[in-house]
Amino acid sequence: MACTTLEDIIKGCDNNIGGITAVYVNDMDNITTVTEDAATWEVTAITQTSRFQTFQFRRNVGNYTEDSAIDLVNGSSYVTQVINLMLHRREADVSRALKILGEGQRDLAIIVLDANGKYWYFSNAQLTTLGEGSGTAKADGSKYSVAFTAESELLAKEVDSTIISALLEPVS
């Protein structure tokens, strides 16, 4: 019994670059609605009570992975999503912001901009790893290693780029 009709996957001709360039974070409690286009698997609107916070980081130090766990015996499947960031230069305000981010294992809504210019929405993510410190040599610097983990039935949905600027504005 087939559940959904199979679809073609066509090889694209566009350049494909790895890495992420921006991360925006909000509490799931601040997200009131997420509107998705079922046909395109795209988030077309997000209504929120507080703006998304911007996490700035250097090039080539962030990524995300999505790994499926498919259990044929139990008939269950889900995707583990992990977003990794390296934040350079340890400072009190960053330490405080990270502490708040992990308080109470809060559920987070995260939007990631990848190096191909695509935005991806991850819901119910949590801060799961926070580490690092000072390097040994002067050239090593100091840093934070941060990981967020979410579990979902589906891969991350693409976000319509035209809604991003409104998500970063203060909510009145």
Side-chain angles (χ1 to χ4, degrees):
M1 164 183 102
C3 299
T4 306
T5 303
L6 296 176
E7 297 182 12
D8 294 326
I9 298 176
I10 307 301
K11 179 183 79 161
C13 297
D14 295 336
N15 192 20
N16 183 25
I17 301 171
I20 61 177
T21 58
V23 171
Y24 309 105
V25 180
N26 206 335
D27 271 310
M28 283 303 299
D29 288 345
N30 295 336
I31 306 300
T32 54
T33 60
V34 176
T35 305
E36 300 174 0
D37 183 321
T40 63
W41 275 38
E42 185 176 53
V43 174
T44 57
I46 297 175
T47 307
Q48 66 208 21
T49 59
S50 179
R51 76 176 184 87
F52 276 75
Q53 302 299 311
T54 301
F55 282 31
Q56 295 182 344
F57 52 94
R58 299 188 190 283
R59 270 195 297 194
N60 301 321
V61 297
N63 73 326
Y64 71 86
T65 60
E66 295 186 284
D67 294 313
S68 293
I70 301 169
D71 189 319
L72 299 176
V73 174
N74 291 324
S76 64
S77 60
Y78 66 94
V79 179
T80 299
Q81 303 163 320
V82 179
I83 301 164
N84 296 296
L85 298 177
M86 187 71 65
L87 305 174
H88 289 85
R89 188 170 176 90
R90 293 181 61 93
E91 297 176 322
D93 58 339
V94 177
S95 291
R96 181 177 180 277
L98 291 170
K99 167 73 171 112
I100 292 169
L101 199 63
E103 281 179 343
Q105 291 76 45
R106 64 188 348 144
D107 288 323
L108 303 167
I110 301 178
I111 297 173
V112 171
L113 173 61
D114 73 16
N116 292 312
K118 304 259 185 210
Y119 293 91
W120 301 97
Y121 179 70
F122 299 84
S123 62
N124 297 302
Q126 294 180 318
L127 178 66
T128 52
T129 304
L130 176 58
E132 293 292 337
S134 177
T136 304
K138 289 187 188 318
D140 295 339
S142 62
K143 57 193 169 279
Y144 303 90
S145 174
V146 180
F148 302 94
T149 303
E151 292 177 335
S152 177
E153 282 187 53
L154 305 169
L155 296 169
K157 299 253 173 109
E158 189 172 346
V159 180
D160 180 349
S161 63
T162 62
I163 71 169
I164 298 299
S165 62
L167 299 176
L168 304 177
E169 294 295 322
V171 177
S172 53

